Amino acid sequence: MTLAPYRCVWMNLWVKGPEERGAGLTREVAAALAPLGRVTVVSRGPYWRTPEVLEFDVELEPVSSTTDCLLALGLRPDEDGDWPAWERRGDEVFLHPAVLGAQVGEEEAATPPPLENGEVVVILDGPAAREEGLVGAEAVVHGSFYPDEPDPLLRRWHHQVMPEGRETLEPFESAGLRPTGRRSVIAERPEAVDVARAGGA
């Protein structure tokens, strides 16, 4: 099967170490992933629940398919095809000896998601919008997904949005949403303290 033009493996890592080791650990994690593709590693500093643990965000554009990349890292999907979180047990190591846990995911399609989290959109007229009474309402994007479709080149992006005045997320195809050019802060994240980038073959 032809590789999809858009391929992204993302990870949240929790790594044991003091805050002053953040820059060094960022480089070491990036170096471990560099053979698999172009990688960006961002250190978020101490994890808010456990200050002696550092949090890292990883985005990897693999040279292979996203599934092959995750399999090469020693991960295995569950029976539903989802990638379960990794948690250290005994002497197991994932990427680096200091990594205690990881959440991973992947996206593979013909194009990247057209909308980003936090973008404010207008919900356009359509059957789902009329049924929910949301035609013309503004909403904030809270996530992107594509329904089950085995061929990545045929996948169509949808987004979870929270309409103004509601506290529930509603799914809409991207074609049914119009960006306003405005953004909303949907979740407070600590500022990144350092970034490491590496390019693969």
Side-chain angles (χ1 to χ4, degrees):
M1 184 179 290
T2 303
L3 283 178
Y6 171 70
R7 303 182 305 283
C8 180
V9 169
W10 59 263
M11 303 180 195
N12 299 116
L13 302 177
W14 289 271
V15 183
K16 181 77 171 177
E19 188 170 2
E20 56 269 24
R21 280 279 290 134
L25 287 167
T26 299
R27 289 189 296 271
E28 291 164 23
V29 169
L33 288 167
L36 297 174
R38 184 169 36 192
V39 61
T40 300
V41 182
V42 177
S43 172
R44 293 288 177 186
Y47 183 49
W48 65 276
R49 284 184 180 172
T50 316
E52 64 273 16
V53 173
L54 303 178
E55 184 180 7
F56 295 83
D57 292 342
V58 176
E59 282 195 9
L60 171 65
E61 181 185 338
V63 295
S64 64
S65 72
T66 55
T67 297
D68 287 346
C69 175
L70 289 169
L71 291 172
L73 289 169
L75 302 174
R76 296 292 177 266
D78 61 22
E79 58 272 11
D80 296 322
D82 297 321
W83 299 94
W86 181 89
E87 187 174 343
R88 170 172 288 170
R89 292 179 179 85
D91 295 331
E92 291 180 328
V93 173
F94 178 68
L95 292 179
H96 189 283
V99 173
L100 300 176
Q103 288 183 331
V104 302
E106 48 87 20
E107 295 175 336
E108 192 165 1
T111 63
L115 299 170
E116 297 180 356
N117 288 359
E119 282 195 69
V120 179
V121 296
V122 173
I123 300 172
L124 303 178
D125 191 9
R130 287 195 295 271
E131 183 178 332
E132 294 293 329
L134 292 172
V135 176
E138 288 195 350
V140 178
V141 176
H142 280 253
S144 304
F145 68 99
Y146 38 74
D148 288 339
E149 165 54 60
D151 186 345
L153 298 178
L154 299 179
R155 291 172 179 163
R156 299 174 66 172
W157 287 103
H158 292 62
H159 303 279
Q160 294 281 6
V161 302
M162 185 172 290
E164 189 175 13
R166 299 198 183 185
E167 295 184 356
T168 57
L169 293 174
E170 301 289 343
F172 284 95
E173 192 171 344
S174 59
L177 303 169
R178 177 172 51 81
T180 64
R182 304 195 318 273
R183 295 188 63 82
S184 173
V185 178
I186 61 174
E188 292 295 329
R189 287 292 310 231
E191 186 178 344
V193 294
D194 51 67
V195 178
R197 288 189 177 88

